[in-house]
């Protein structure tokens, strides 16, 4: 028997005033921990990309595509995830997602060549999209007044994974001299997480729906076809190209252009994860201040950092500082608030669909980000690649931000323009 969306909605409305218990918070923390594991999984391939490239003889652009192709899987998963959410419980969809990305990670370690490896990498994205869509929907439903802050807590858990993943992965590679070992370890850990969720998280918590009918919610659009969602979709595409240009190929830039060791590369990438810890603060900024201010300043910071990362100082100290700033500004503020404002652009009843649009567009753009920046770097050098794919695109993002109609968004009343 499946659980319909309408049934869930009715149950959620009936209990929407029920206070959140410590047990429910604990269950949400388990979900965040599972997403942290997902982040560790995601961060591993860019770290081992140079080893994979060396063993199989892949080109730079092809390696970049392998690093970011999982985002194509995330993009194409948007529609089937929505289909499943209309027929299954959120918990069931979450578990299916974790199983898919864990299996994809394990199979990557046993790839024979480019064709099957790229399929396994794309499959990890399908699973992650299912998990991320559900976790964001749960967070937005529980903390309807502070949706960006709630999304920030999810990205905070990503920051934990972004720190632990490269450090542990670099250690495992160093011990066994085998790039496959981290993939096997994290793939198996994903199946263990499924068991933990099955026994510790109940559907009463996962199926609770967002509170509808509030004063601020009435300002959100009643359909997904609206100006703000269209503009935010464009900004999400830009965000995906910037974020995954960095995440997909920056480790390769460090290893092949700046000649960092795998251990040093892992340390720099883990410091990026420290910056992501600003996500809860970044979400608070989005709930507290005007969207145009938050997004325009975030895009401006993205453009500046993109230029400095690929054209600035080469020392490990400065690269670490810039990576920290990137994690703070781009992942901690820009990413979190793009997700939050997608949800705020519509009524509470459209939360699942708004989340799906965000995931599909940002990660769909990210799918080719590594390929594009790798191709530009091959022809024109890393400085031009950073300028073209990050700095200039961020400028376009600022222009789109200025066109938002914030009086038609579900913002707190004192922040509406």
């Amino acid at each position: 028997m499946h659980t319909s969306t309408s049934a869930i909605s009715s149950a959620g409305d009936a209990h929407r005033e029920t206070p959140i218990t410590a047990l429910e918070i604990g269950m949400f923390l388990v979900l965040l921990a599972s997403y942290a594991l997902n982040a560790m999984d995601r961060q591993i391939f860019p770290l081992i990309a140079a080893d994979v490239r060396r063993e199989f003889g892949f080109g730079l652009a092809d390696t970049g595509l392998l690093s970011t192709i999982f985002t194509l899987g995330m993009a194409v998963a948007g529609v089937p995830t929505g289909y499943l959410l209309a027929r299954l419980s959120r918990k069931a969809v979450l578990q299916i997602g974790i199983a898919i990305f864990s299996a994809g990670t394990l199979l990557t370690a046993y790839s024979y060549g480019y064709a099957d490896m790229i399929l396994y990498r794309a499959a990890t994205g399908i699973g992650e999209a299912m998990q991320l869509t559900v976790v964001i929907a749960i967070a937005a439903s529980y903390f309807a007044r502070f949706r960006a802050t709630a999304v920030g807590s999810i990205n905070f858990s990503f920051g934990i994974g972004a720190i632990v993943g490269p450090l542990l992965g670099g250690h495992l590679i160093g011990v066994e001299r085998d790039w496959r070992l981290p993939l096997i370890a994290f793939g198996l850990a994903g199946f263990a997480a499924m068991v933990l969720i099955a026994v510790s998280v109940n559907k009463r918590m996962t199926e609770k729906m967002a509170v509808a009918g509030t004063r601020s919610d009435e300002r959100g659009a009643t359909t997904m076809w609206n100006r703000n969602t269209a503009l935010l979709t464009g900004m999400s595409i830009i965000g995906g190209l910037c974020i995954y240009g960095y995440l997909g190929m920056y480790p390769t830039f460090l290893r092949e252009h700046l000649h960092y060791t795998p251990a040093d590369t892992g340390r720099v990438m883990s410091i990026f994860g420290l910056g992501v810890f600003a996500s809860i603060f970044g979400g608070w900024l989005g709930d507290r201040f005007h969207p145009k201010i938050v997004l325009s300043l975030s895009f401006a910071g993205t453009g500046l950092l993109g230029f400095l990362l690929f054209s600035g100082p080469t020392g490990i100290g400065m690269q670490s500082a810039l990576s920290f700033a990137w994690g703070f500004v781009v992942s901690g503020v820009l990413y979190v608030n793009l997700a939050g404002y997608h949800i705020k652009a519509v009524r509470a009843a459209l939360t699942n669909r708004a989340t799906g649009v965000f995931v599909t567009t940002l990660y769909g753009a990210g799918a080719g980000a590594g390929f594009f920046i790798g191709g530009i770097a091959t022809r024109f050098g890393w400085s031009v690649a950073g300028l073209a794919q990050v700095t200039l695109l961020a400028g376009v993002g600022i222009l789109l931000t200025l066109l938002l109609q914030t009086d038609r968004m579900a913002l707190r009343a004192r922040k509406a323009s």
Side-chain angles (χ1 to χ4, degrees), residues 220-300:
T222 58
T223 173
M224 297 303 299
W225 296 99
N226 66 85
R227 175 173 173 170
N228 287 331
T229 295
L231 290 169
L232 287 162
T233 295
M235 286 181 251
S236 295
I237 291 171
I238 291 171
L241 289 170
C242 293
I243 293 169
Y244 286 96
Y246 168 88
L247 288 176
M249 289 302 287
Y250 179 66
T252 301
F253 164 76
L254 292 179
R255 293 192 61 181
E256 296 192 358
H257 186 71
L258 299 187
H259 306 294
Y260 283 23
T261 66
D264 285 340
T265 301
R267 279 191 283 271
V268 172
M269 293 306 295
S270 69
I271 291 173
F272 152 77
L274 287 176
V276 179
F277 281 151
S279 295
I280 296 177
F281 173 70
W284 176 83
L285 291 176
D287 287 323
R288 178 69 175 79
F289 296 102
H290 197 283
K292 292 184 179 180
I293 295 175
V294 175
L295 289 176
S296 61
L297 290 179
S298 298
F299 273 119

Side-chain angles (χ1 to χ4, degrees), residues 7-93:
I8 294 172
S9 180
S10 298
D13 290 342
H15 298 287
R16 65 189 181 207
E17 301 300 330
T18 303
I20 299 170
T21 66
L23 178 61
E24 290 171 330
I25 292 175
M27 289 187 286
F28 184 61
L29 290 176
V30 171
L31 298 181
L32 293 182
S34 74
Y35 189 61
L37 178 62
N38 190 317
M40 297 179 204
D41 195 347
R42 185 200 297 182
Q43 294 294 92
I44 285 300
F45 194 87
L47 181 65
I48 66 175
D51 301 293
V52 173
R53 170 169 145 82
R54 187 180 307 114
E55 178 172 327
F56 288 93
F58 298 151
L60 186 60
D62 289 338
T63 304
L65 185 59
L66 282 171
S67 293
T68 58
I69 192 62
F70 76 93
T71 60
L72 178 61
M74 295 190 75
V76 301
V79 172
T81 298
Y83 178 87
L84 288 174
L85 282 171
R87 290 158 177 78
L88 302 174
S89 68
R90 285 175 175 170
K91 182 177 179 179
V93 176

Side-chain angles (χ1 to χ4, degrees), residues 316-327:
I316 189 170
M318 283 303 301
Q319 286 293 319
S320 296
L322 290 170
S323 289
F324 172 82
W326 180 274

Side-chain angles (χ1 to χ4, degrees), residues 373-394:
I373 197 168
I376 297 171
T378 299
R379 292 191 176 189
F380 305 105
W382 285 104
S383 294
V384 174
L387 180 65
Q389 188 157 321
V390 180
T391 305
L392 295 181
L393 283 179

Side-chain angles (χ1 to χ4, degrees), residues 348-404:
L350 297 174
T351 293
N352 284 348
R353 294 180 64 186
T355 301
V357 169
F358 165 72
V359 170
T360 296
T361 54
L362 186 138
Y363 291 101
F371 180 80
F372 294 143
I373 197 168
I376 297 171
T378 299
R379 292 191 176 189
F380 305 105
W382 285 104
S383 294
V384 174
L387 180 65
Q389 188 157 321
V390 180
T391 305
L392 295 181
L393 283 179
V396 177
I398 294 174
L399 296 178
L400 294 179
T401 298
L402 300 178
L403 299 176
L404 286 172

